[in-house]
Amino acid sequence: MPIQYYITLSVVLFCIGVVGVLTRRNAIIIFMCVELMLNAVNLLMVAFSKMHHGNALATNPDSLAGVEAQLFVFFTMVVAAAEVSVGLAIIVMLYRNTHSVDVNFLNRLKN
C-alpha cells in the first residue's frame, strides 16, 4: 500500500483529534481526542519505519534501519497508558468534586 494513504489517514485522524480537543468541553471526550492524536502519530511513524525498512532491506538484507521508530512507538504507547491512568484519576476527582466532567469546572479547583 502506498505511503500516501497512511499519511492521509494520519492527517485526518490528527485533525479530528485537534478539532475534538478545541471544541469539546467534556473531559473524557477531550481525553479520547488526545489519544486519537497520539495514535495518528504512531501510525505515521510505523508507516515511515516500514517504508525505510523496506528500502534498506532492498540494498542490505541484514539492515535494521527503520526498526527504531517501531520501538519508539512502543514507548509512546507506554507513555499514553500512563497518561490515561493519571488523566482518568483527575477526571474521577473532578467528578467527585463537581458532579460533572465539564472542563470549565477546573477553574473552581484553584482554591
Side-chain angles (χ1 to χ4, degrees):
M1 187 180 294
I3 191 74
Q4 291 84 9
Y5 294 151
Y6 294 110
I7 293 171
T8 303
L9 179 63
S10 294
V11 168
V12 168
L13 288 176
F14 193 82
C15 289
I16 290 171
V18 168
V19 169
V21 166
L22 294 177
T23 59
R24 302 303 296 249
R25 293 173 27 187
N26 188 330
I28 295 174
I29 293 176
I30 290 173
F31 228 43
M32 290 171 40
C33 290
V34 169
E35 292 298 320
L36 190 62
M37 289 189 293
L38 283 173
N39 285 328
V41 171
N42 285 342
L43 175 66
L44 197 60
M45 284 198 308
V46 168
F48 280 127
S49 170
K50 184 166 175 52
M51 182 184 75
H52 288 296
H53 186 65
N55 291 340
L57 281 182
T59 58
N60 183 7
D62 296 330
S63 176
L64 292 177
V67 177
E68 298 89 7
Q70 294 176 12
L71 293 174
F72 190 71
V73 167
F74 284 119
F75 288 121
T76 305
M77 291 170 69
V78 169
V79 170
E83 173 219 343
V84 165
S85 63
V86 171
L88 284 178
I90 291 172
I91 291 172
V92 167
M93 289 304 297
L94 173 70
Y95 184 76
R96 284 184 183 174
N97 288 331
T98 64
H99 297 288
S100 174
V101 289
D102 190 355
V103 292
N104 290 332
F105 285 111
L106 288 175
N107 288 332
R108 295 181 183 177
L109 296 178
K110 290 180 181 176
N111 300 331

